[in-house]
Each structure stands twice: as structure tokens, then as C-alpha cells.
């Protein structure tokens, strides 16, 4: 189902803003003015790329925003703190926007972050919310 209504267009714009400015979703667990990075596109291109992903999977922006909000709630509930800007990577295969991943760096070692990442993904799977074309993943930062 292609996204064509003005509500759908606004939902994708809202999703793009939430991804770009993680403080709007993650709240006090992130610096207020933190801006996420986007790996292969400028932020003004992201809404169109997200629309392509959603159209390919016949999904809604509401699903992606739900996953992002679940990740933020998980981080807050476990008092985890972001260690820097998240980054968004939208994967294209043969000119098809196949999926997106939003990587959230946590203020802990990479090994410890894997445990939290697995716990979060398990929660999504238990709630039948793990669809695969949009993932929020946690990573740690190397200890100096």
C-alpha cells in the first residue's frame, strides 16, 4: 500500500524528525540538542527514503515510530544513557529501499550493550513486533 494521504505524509515527516532529534523521544536519557547522523543521505532526503521503505513493505510510519518509542521506553526504564548521536542507515538493494536500522550508542562497553540489545529484541519478538525491515539496535562505546 503506497503512502499517499496527507496524514501519511505528515506521519513520515514526524518519524523523520523523531529519528533526527532523539531527544524528542528518548527524553532525559540524551542531551537535549543531540542530532542523529544519517549514513547515506541528508536529513532532507530521509522522508522520501522512509516512504520507499514503507511502500516496499506495505507498512506504516506508525509501526516504525512505535518501535522507536519502545526503544526509548526501554532505555528510560533501565536507566541507560546514550553515549552520543544515534545513526540511521537506510539500506537499498537494486534501487529498492529494503530497510532501515537506527543504531543507538549506549554509555557502556560494547560487550555489555550486546546484552541490552538482545533483551530489547527479545521483548519485541515476544510482542510480535519484530518485523525486520526496521530495527533499533544498541551498541556500546569502547572504553579508553
Amino acid at each position: 500500500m503506497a503512502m499517499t494521504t496527507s496524514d501519511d505524509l505528515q506521519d513520515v515527516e514526524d518519524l523523520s524528525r523523531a529519528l533526527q532529534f532523539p531527544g524528542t523521544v528518548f527524553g532525559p536519557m540524551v542531551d537535549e540538542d543531540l542530532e542523529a547522523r544519517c549514513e547515506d543521505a541528508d536529513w532532507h532526503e530521509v522522508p522520501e527514503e522512509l516512504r520507499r521503505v514503507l511502500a516496499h513493505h506495505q507498512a506504516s510510519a506508525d509501526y516504525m515510530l512505535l518501535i522507536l518509542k519502545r526503544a526509548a521506553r526501554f532505555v528510560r526504564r533501565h536507566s541507560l544513557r546514550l553515549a552520543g548521536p544515534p545513526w540511521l542507515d537506510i539500506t537499498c538493494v537494486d534501487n529498492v529501499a529494503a530497510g532501515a536500522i537506527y543504531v543507538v550508542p549506549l554509555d557502556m562497553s560494547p560487550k555489555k550493550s550486546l546484552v541490552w540489545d538482545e533483551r530489547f529484541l527479545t521483548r519485541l519478538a515476544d510482542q510480535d513486533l519484530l518485523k525486520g525491515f526496521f530495527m533499533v539496535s544498541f551498541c556500546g562505546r569502547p572504553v579508553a
Side-chain angles (χ1 to χ4, degrees), residues 78-108:
H78 296 288
S79 300
L80 306 174
R81 180 118 180 110
L82 274 68
W87 64 91
L88 175 67
D89 186 13
I90 299 173
T91 303
C92 294
V93 177
D94 296 330
N95 290 329
V96 173
I101 186 167
Y102 192 68
V103 181
V104 178
L106 298 177
D107 190 18
M108 63 184 60

Side-chain angles (χ1 to χ4, degrees), residues 49-91:
E49 294 295 314
L50 292 173
R51 284 185 195 96
R52 290 176 59 206
V53 169
L54 293 168
H56 179 73
H57 292 281
Q58 298 181 349
S60 73
D62 288 341
Y63 165 76
M64 292 175 83
L65 192 55
L66 172 68
I67 299 305
L68 185 62
K69 287 180 178 179
R70 291 282 172 104
R73 186 172 69 184
F74 184 85
V75 164
R76 285 191 306 271
R77 180 167 288 148
H78 296 288
S79 300
L80 306 174
R81 180 118 180 110
L82 274 68
W87 64 91
L88 175 67
D89 186 13
I90 299 173
T91 303

Side-chain angles (χ1 to χ4, degrees), residues 4 13 23 27 40 57 60 72 74 82 98 108 122 124 138 144:
T4 56
E13 294 291 334
D40 295 321
H57 292 281
S60 73
F74 184 85
L82 274 68
M108 63 184 60
T122 299
L124 291 181
F138 301 119

Side-chain angles (χ1 to χ4, degrees), residues 109-138:
S109 72
K111 187 175 180 180
K112 201 171 180 185
S113 72
L114 286 174
V115 173
W116 289 108
D117 190 54
E118 184 177 322
R119 285 181 66 184
F120 176 65
L121 294 176
T122 299
R123 286 193 56 86
L124 291 181
D126 289 347
Q127 298 167 5
D128 198 28
L129 291 174
L130 198 56
K131 304 298 181 201
F133 69 90
F134 177 64
M135 301 289 292
V136 174
S137 183
F138 301 119

